[in-house]
Amino acid sequence: MAKLNMQAVRGMPDILPAEMPYWHYVEQGLKQAAATFAFKEIRLPCVESTELFQRGIGEGTDIVGKEMYTFLDRNGDSLALRPEGTAGCVRAALQHGLLHNQIQRLWYYGPMFRHERPQKGRYRQFYQFGLEYFGVKEPLADVEVLLCIHAVFVKLGLLPHVKLQINTLGTPEVRQRHRESLVAYLQQHVEHLDEDSKRRLQVNPLRILDSKNPEVQVIVANAPKLADFLDEASSQHFEQVQALLTSAGVDYTVNPTLVRGLDYYTHTVFEWVTETLGAQGTVCAGGRYDGLVEMFGGHSTPAIGCAFGIERLALMLAELDAPVVDVNHFYVIFPEDAIKQVLPVIANWRRESEKVFILNQEGGAFKKQFKRADKADCAYAIILAEDELAKQQVTVKPLKGQGEQFTLAQTDFVAWARQLPHNIESIAKCLPCHPCESRNPV
Ligand code: HAM
């Protein structure tokens, strides 16, 4: 029998324990920022009907046309691994009546699947954190989503490393008129287009504006601009978005060539881009999609949202050398035969202090136990030797040269441990630019 292939599927990476502190740090920052803007969590399935994405994202898009994982299940139904979260979120919101005469702010988090060519920052299974804001057509909703994203970057200490680009796509009618004019123009220059652009000319000409091919870019430079086709209301909407962003102190640039790879967008679209990651520099992207709810059979409902790429945020932290430490982990050192006395003490301390305790295993002289404590990368060794146990005390020895050891009553331990910064597992310590003092290094 052939040997079992023990490699992960290409483009679907494992995320190892050493990387998780960055992930936890990012996830926590996202959830906290979303909560301060009154977004609530919704959990959505990873599998939906293929048709949902075909109709929602658009048949002509790369995502649906080239990248979607689809399969027939045992009933013969065509299903797809979700390539993004918006279509499923709208489906769920409609199915459960969440959009009926109400404003709804939702966030979701989880893996998405696209059969793209894997490279740094681009995977076939990747995680998104998405925000979807339903029911408000005014520019303030656009700006609130952008402010929430801004708050995330501030919280994570990444704001100096990202730039916001915005554009407007206007209404579907505006896009249609622009599209006709664009196709007519590009057809005049068709002999200078590459194969990809020629194919897009038929299915999604707007995407040609996004081409990275320098020859195509020269042609695109003189192509009819969507901005020249905008109606009064669309222009006004976009101007108000810009005015509000400026008043909120959010820096941005207008990028007239910014088009997105999904068909559902209308009016405002945006991308937050970093230069720290190379080619895959978009760390958050989104826009308005005022027509999608109606297209899915609901009442006309304006909506705007975005999604962050979590791998890319974690990579940014790594690239920026954000130090990761296991803060406040305790390595418990004790004589092997005292385990029955030690266990209830530690059980109590775990519960009351919510800190991390690692019990020494397999006994050994104290010297050996200290060596293991160093190897376990703990901040402190706590010693419960015969003397301490007899006097109901505990000795705390800071490791990594962080000060002198001291002894305290066991009844005082929890109060001491609780005042140490950070009760949660391990997180990335502050970047130099982090604004939050509580994240100062321990
Ligand atoms: P998107 O631009 O396709 O938008 O993806 C959003 C983000 O997900 C990207 O900016 C990137 O950070 C990350 N991402 C996308 N593809 C990959 C990949 N193959 N590997 C790693 N990261 C990736 C959407 O998905 C829309 N649903 C966003 C949205 C929500 N618009 C309105 N509401």
Side-chain angles (χ1 to χ4, degrees):
M1 216 191 334
K3 213 170 150 208
L4 184 63
N5 179 4
M6 293 297 284
Q7 299 290 307
V9 174
R10 182 164 136 82
M12 303 203 176
D14 302 304
I15 299 140
L16 300 178
E19 299 165 72
M20 288 314 299
Y22 287 143
W23 282 65
H24 290 162
Y25 177 74
V26 167
E27 288 161 1
Q28 186 174 278
L30 284 161
K31 287 177 192 174
Q32 285 175 352
T36 62
F37 282 78
F39 284 86
K40 297 210 171 79
E41 182 178 8
I42 183 165
R43 291 215 183 167
L44 303 163
C46 292
V47 175
E48 300 272 358
S49 75
T50 304
E51 200 190 356
L52 184 83
F53 300 116
Q54 287 170 334
R55 297 260 299 272
I57 301 171
E59 299 260 21
T61 61
D62 282 353
I63 297 180
V64 169
K66 297 205 290 198
E67 299 165 1
M68 206 152 61
Y69 285 88
T70 53
F71 60 98
L72 293 180
D73 78 353
R74 285 168 192 275
N75 302 329
D77 297 328
S78 179
L79 303 179
L81 299 185
R82 60 180 179 186
E84 59 103 50
T86 308
C89 188
V90 171
R91 195 265 315 134
L94 276 173
Q95 182 176 336
H96 302 287
L98 304 184
L99 302 182
H100 197 64
N101 284 336
Q102 54 189 317
I103 291 173
Q104 196 65 253
R105 300 178 197 83
L106 303 172
W107 67 260
Y108 51 82
Y109 177 60
M112 309 290 160
F113 305 85
R114 295 182 193 175
H115 195 273
E116 295 192 80
R117 197 167 47 78
Q119 64 180 86
K120 180 176 162 194
R122 188 165 71 194
Y123 310 97
R124 290 180 175 172
Q125 172 171 326
F126 59 97
Y127 284 72
Q128 279 188 349
F129 185 97
L131 301 171
E132 310 293 357
Y133 191 152
F134 297 99
V136 181
K137 66 176 188 315
E138 277 73 31
L140 183 54
D142 310 37
V143 172
E144 281 227 288
V145 168
L146 289 166
L147 284 178
C148 183
I149 300 166
H150 186 268
V152 168
F153 288 126
V154 169
K155 204 166 195 53
L156 297 180
L158 295 176
L159 189 64
H161 306 282
V162 290
K163 290 203 172 75
L164 168 61
Q165 299 186 357
I166 58 173
N167 191 22
T168 180
L169 303 179
T171 60
E173 294 74 37
V174 167
R175 285 171 75 173
Q176 185 55 29
R177 277 188 280 128
H178 173 244
R179 185 188 159 117
E180 284 162 16
S181 161
L182 183 66
V183 170
Y185 168 85
L186 290 171
Q187 259 156 359
Q188 287 168 18
H189 300 273
V190 72
E191 71 274 19
H192 299 297
L193 295 181
D194 56 21
E195 284 312 308
D196 212 29
S197 299
K198 278 184 192 151
R199 192 184 53 80
R200 284 184 166 148
L201 193 53
Q202 307 307 325
V203 284
N204 199 350
L206 222 60
R207 289 290 287 171
I208 300 176
L209 303 181
D210 240 5
S211 171
K212 304 277 181 287
N213 182 334
E215 268 183 72
V216 177
Q217 279 174 349
V218 172
I219 296 165
V220 162
N222 295 317
K225 305 264 179 303
L226 190 107
D228 298 330
F229 292 78
L230 283 184
D231 57 297
E232 186 60 24
S234 298
S235 300
Q236 265 186 18
H237 185 99
F238 194 45
E239 275 160 27
Q240 282 178 44
V241 168
Q242 292 180 63
L244 290 175
L245 281 178
T246 304
S247 72
V250 175
D251 292 334
Y252 63 88
T253 48
V254 176
N255 176 359
T257 64
L258 178 71
V259 290
R260 307 263 305 117
L262 305 99
D263 282 355
Y264 50 60
Y265 290 114
T266 54
H267 297 290
T268 316
V269 289
F270 55 83
E271 293 190 351
W272 295 75
V273 184
T274 182
E275 286 175 2
T276 48
L277 296 182
Q280 303 305 321
T282 308
V283 286
C284 176
R288 214 169 236 292
Y289 50 99
D290 289 345
L292 188 60
V293 175
E294 201 174 2
M295 192 218 266
F296 280 175
H299 293 293
S300 169
T301 306
I304 177 155
C306 71
F308 293 81
I310 307 306
E311 288 79 0
R312 295 182 189 183
L313 293 175
L315 269 174
M316 271 184 91
L317 291 166
E319 293 284 330
L320 294 166
D321 273 338
V324 181
V325 285
D326 282 348
V327 284
N328 306 332
H329 282 32
F330 297 113
Y331 195 91
V332 187
I333 288 176
F334 57 97
E336 202 173 0
D337 58 6
I339 183 64
K340 287 191 178 146
Q341 267 173 286
V342 169
L343 271 184
V345 173
I346 300 301
N348 180 35
W349 288 352
R350 274 207 182 99
R351 195 176 54 243
E352 298 294 324
S353 71
E354 294 176 350
K355 297 288 179 196
V356 179
F357 294 82
I358 300 172
L359 289 177
N360 181 66
Q361 302 289 336
E362 299 175 326
F366 274 20
K367 199 168 160 207
K368 194 165 186 182
Q369 297 199 31
F370 273 113
K371 272 203 180 133
R372 292 185 189 138
D374 280 333
K375 218 170 148 194
D377 235 3
C378 287
Y380 300 91
I382 55 177
I383 303 146
L384 292 166
E386 272 162 32
D387 199 31
E388 279 89 356
L389 289 168
K391 294 183 188 157
Q392 308 232 316
Q393 291 178 332
V394 55
T395 296
V396 179
K397 183 175 184 339
L399 301 170
K400 303 173 199 289
Q402 291 187 60
E404 293 300 312
Q405 76 174 45
F406 56 92
T407 300
L408 69 170
Q410 286 181 9
T411 45
D412 293 337
F413 178 83
V414 168
W416 173 77
R418 285 185 77 104
Q419 53 77 44
L420 293 171
H422 291 313
N423 281 344
I424 66 160
E425 198 201 323
S426 46
I427 62 168
K429 264 197 300 186
C430 64
L431 293 161
C433 47
H434 202 291
C436 164
E437 280 179 22
S438 71
R439 290 250 157 77
N440 275 343
V442 283

